[in-house]
Amino acid sequence: SLSLSLSSLQGSKLSCAWFQAHASDMGNALTSVLLRCTSYQAEFNSALPKALAFFDENLNAMKEAVHGGRATLDIVAAPLMTQLGRPHLRVSMIIPHLDSFRAGCPDQEGFHRLERVLRILQSDRFRLSGKRRLVFFLLDFSGSMRVPLTEGQEVQRIDAVFNSLCRLQSLRRSDPEQASYRERLQSVDVAVGAFGLMGPAPYARPGIPRCPPEERVHAGEIFPPRCALEVLDQDLLRPELERAQELIGGATNLLGALRWSEAYLNALALSGEYGSIALCLLSDGMPNVPDKLSASPSASWAPTWVSSFFSRKEEPAPSSSMLAAVELQASKIAGRGAVILSAFLSDTTNVAPRRMFREEQQHWEEGAKLMFRCATSVPGRIWDQHPFNLLQELGWKFDEDCRLFAPINTQENMDHLFNLETLIGSLAAE
């Protein structure tokens, strides 16, 4: 809950510490209204004066924070989101959907003022002007991914991930539905990146950013964008994933990985081919690299592959500033126009499987909480939409206004979540 009054946001007294402390409290009724359906026109019209008053009072401080790189639009608008009653949804989803409410808004001057303010505050968005959709898998290749997915079984976490990605199976059952699914895949590209590599990624393409060796991030592209239908029919992913297995075993530098992913997705978006981007983030643990590595990547640091030498209970806990920086970076990527679906791999049962939540639970592992905060919020009853209605038939449950986060502890659950039908549906839900 946010106790900070709106008046305290005046001037330029917004502190970085405040933004970091409230990085997970994002969204509002305005976002929900804009993204649901036009039957909520009256609610949007009602919320507009409150939003304009908030922006009029706090615009200078918000501009300073956003343009200075200390916060994102989602974060600086968090007090407004809470005031309007939807603290779980993000304002960054408003901009692509404003046109749905333009004609029905009686205050056209106010509507244009809102558009101008959002453009001023909006982070530099990815160039999403094309017709194709990009699904980018960002995989954790740290040493702990060699642990069995479920206690007592031989299948390792990384093998289960590879199995799901190589199948790309549909949730549909009938032949006509399968044909429709394959037709949709023709307009989708799949790409795969990884972090936690034992060394710099060995692949390089012109125009694609790589992490300099001295930065010790060790994240990179392991499969370039290809048409999803070709990937499925020709089994193109499997040999590249097998080739990359020798690099598994590094540390979990999640912040560095997200920073690299932003640069990578921006480079792909510059082609003008894509109209939407889904980032599917998968990890099994918390960041376990020194803070100075992520705060100053060029700093000298002798890497120790923590996952290889410590058990989960012995791994050094990341600082609060590190966790806040990870959340802020995920919010920045979402603010630029990507949808983030995250999954937490664990052999524990303290997070209910086959469920997407609106709020994090206190008894969760810290890694699950972090992955939840990185995920995109979606408004309304997601289970009424395709393909989440199919997931519901398979035993999945969804909170209203949930985040696109799920715990994974079986191969079957991973197959449900990591299929392109679910990911394409996530883009439509956003």
Side-chain angles (χ1 to χ4, degrees), residues 94-367:
I94 289 176
I95 296 171
H97 301 274
L98 277 177
D99 285 344
S100 300
F101 294 87
R102 185 186 305 275
C105 181
D107 183 5
Q108 288 294 305
E109 181 180 351
F111 189 95
H112 293 311
R113 284 174 55 206
L114 177 65
E115 285 187 307
R116 288 195 298 271
V117 168
L118 293 177
R119 281 197 295 268
I120 291 172
L121 293 175
Q122 185 185 19
S123 300
D124 182 25
R125 288 178 67 85
F126 296 127
R127 181 184 176 187
L128 300 178
S129 57
K131 296 183 179 181
R132 298 189 64 76
R133 289 166 286 189
L134 175 66
V135 175
F136 174 57
F137 294 94
L138 181 60
L139 309 180
D140 186 344
F141 267 36
S142 63
S144 57
M145 290 294 287
R146 291 294 193 186
V147 173
L149 178 62
T150 304
E151 187 174 356
Q153 295 186 358
E154 295 183 359
V155 178
Q156 297 178 350
R157 292 171 180 170
I158 195 64
D159 292 332
V161 173
F162 286 0
N163 290 339
S164 292
L165 292 187
C166 291
R167 282 197 287 265
L168 295 178
Q169 63 185 17
S170 169
L171 298 172
R172 303 167 188 256
R173 296 179 176 85
S174 67
D175 289 341
E177 289 177 329
Q178 287 283 353
S180 175
Y181 172 65
R182 289 177 57 81
E183 182 177 354
R184 296 183 73 193
L185 294 188
Q186 293 180 353
S187 64
V188 178
D189 285 353
V190 174
V192 181
F195 64 98
L197 305 175
M198 285 293 289
Y203 319 109
R205 294 192 294 120
I208 297 301
R210 299 186 66 189
C211 298
E214 65 272 14
E215 293 192 1
R216 309 288 187 183
V217 172
H218 298 324
E221 179 187 70
I222 61 174
F223 186 81
R226 293 287 299 272
C227 174
L229 190 60
E230 295 179 7
V231 172
L232 179 63
D233 288 348
Q234 301 176 33
D235 197 20
L236 299 178
L237 261 177
R238 191 177 304 276
E240 295 301 324
L241 292 175
E242 291 177 350
R243 179 186 175 194
Q245 283 209 41
E246 64 184 27
L247 295 171
I248 297 172
T252 309
N253 187 349
L254 185 54
L255 177 56
L258 288 173
R259 286 175 172 167
W260 170 80
S261 296
E262 181 187 5
Y264 175 75
L265 293 175
N266 186 60
L268 296 182
L270 288 175
S271 68
E273 295 183 53
Y274 300 112
S276 57
I277 294 175
L279 191 164
C280 189
L281 173 63
L282 181 145
S283 182
D284 68 345
M286 296 283 277
N288 56 13
V289 296
D291 283 9
K292 65 179 181 180
L293 171 63
S294 294
S296 179
S298 60
S300 175
W301 176 64
T304 56
W305 305 118
V306 180
S307 299
S308 302
F309 300 106
F310 297 93
S311 68
R312 290 178 66 90
K313 294 182 179 180
E314 294 171 333
E315 287 183 358
S319 67
S320 59
S321 61
M322 165 74 80
L323 299 182
V326 170
E327 294 175 39
L328 180 60
Q329 183 60 36
S331 176
K332 185 178 179 183
I333 294 173
R336 298 192 68 177
V339 175
I340 301 179
L341 184 147
S342 66
F344 177 68
L345 293 184
S346 175
D347 56 3
T348 64
T349 58
N350 73 340
V351 184
R354 298 197 182 189
R355 181 177 173 185
M356 290 188 179
F357 300 83
R358 172 177 173 168
E359 299 177 324
E360 67 181 56
Q361 308 299 306
Q362 291 299 317
H363 64 273
W364 286 358
E365 295 179 50
E366 293 303 314

Side-chain angles (χ1 to χ4, degrees), residues 65-86:
V66 171
H67 297 165
R70 294 186 288 113
T72 65
L73 172 58
D74 285 327
I75 295 173
V76 296
L80 171 64
M81 312 302 115
T82 301
Q83 181 190 48
L84 294 176
R86 293 285 184 173

